[in-house]
Amino acid sequence: GTQMRSPRHLLSFGIAVPILYYLALLLGSAFYPGYSHVTRYASELGAAEAPHPWIFNSGIVAAGVAALLAGPGFAFALRRLGSDRLPAVLTGLTISLWGVAMVLGGSFPMPDPRHGGFGLGLPLLVAPLFLLWGLRRTPDAGRLRLFLLVVFLAMTALFAVMMGVGGLVTLANVGLWQRGNALASIPWIGIVAYALRRRLAR
């Protein structure tokens, strides 16, 4: 009935997160002559000096709202698949908090100090671990668990690089590293939302 439909319905917002984010990135840069994905931060697409900052900002606000709504969907889905309450709640919370950080990022463009979302997006780094914990008793979820482990390792490594570990990030390549970081930390939300939705439908 409707109870079955509600978490699946919320997971659809999770599937939309990477789509909305990359639409914002691609459309924002398409309308920014001379913009470089290699040397520039994504946030510069929404800064005051961008020709059409509203394109990127409204897109990441939309992605943030989608993540905010998806969080409870992840929690419901994990509970339905036999997870304990704590990992389910922590998974949903980290995804929703990241959504709040994205809404703040789009609402307060650089260089506003609120653009960073007060660090609310940082717990997303451990969301794959909470999911692994929640799915540990779920039958035939081996591939999904392996995917989450790879995502966690990639997110952690790229976050460390972005924080200056290894001295790999330079002004000449910061955009590329940031794109890599986003690729490790955003698409998986949609992929896992889709995988959980399919499981609930069975």
Side-chain angles (χ1 to χ4, degrees):
T2 48
Q3 239 204 326
M4 188 63 198
R5 226 168 15 246
S6 60
R8 279 175 58 201
H9 175 62
L10 289 170
L11 284 170
S12 305
F13 288 107
I15 296 167
V17 168
I19 298 167
L20 291 166
Y21 175 79
Y22 283 103
L23 263 177
L25 189 68
L26 296 172
L27 285 174
S29 59
F31 291 97
Y32 194 141
Y35 179 85
S36 166
H37 286 288
V38 177
T39 60
R40 310 278 292 268
Y41 282 101
S43 294
E44 292 179 51
L45 292 169
E49 58 273 16
H52 307 284
W54 65 268
I55 298 174
F56 182 73
N57 292 331
S58 56
I60 63 167
V61 167
V65 170
L68 183 59
L69 294 169
F74 275 85
F76 279 130
L78 285 170
R79 288 291 281 159
R80 193 66 48 80
L81 295 169
S83 166
D84 294 328
R85 181 170 279 119
L86 188 59
V89 169
L90 289 172
T91 298
L93 197 59
T94 49
I95 290 168
S96 289
L97 284 174
W98 180 83
V100 173
M102 289 291 276
V103 170
L104 287 166
S107 305
F108 304 105
M110 281 171 51
D112 191 303
R114 292 168 290 188
H115 178 73
F118 305 104
L120 292 175
L122 291 177
L124 190 74
L125 275 172
V126 288
L129 293 183
F130 294 146
L131 270 155
L132 280 169
W133 179 14
L135 290 167
R136 73 188 189 283
R137 288 195 300 265
T138 307
D140 60 279
R143 276 167 58 190
L144 185 55
R145 288 197 291 261
L146 180 64
F147 173 70
L148 286 162
L149 183 63
V150 170
V151 165
F152 170 70
L153 294 172
M155 281 172 82
T156 307
L158 283 155
F159 178 73
V161 168
M162 287 303 292
M163 290 291 105
V165 173
L168 298 169
V169 178
T170 66
L171 288 174
N173 66 19
V174 66
L176 274 185
W177 281 109
Q178 198 199 22
R179 300 306 179 276
N181 189 41
L183 199 59
S185 52
I186 298 174
W188 75 265
I189 298 171
I191 294 165
V192 175
Y194 175 74
L196 293 176
R197 211 187 129 107
R198 280 191 56 184
R199 266 169 195 282
L200 289 183
R202 278 183 210 155

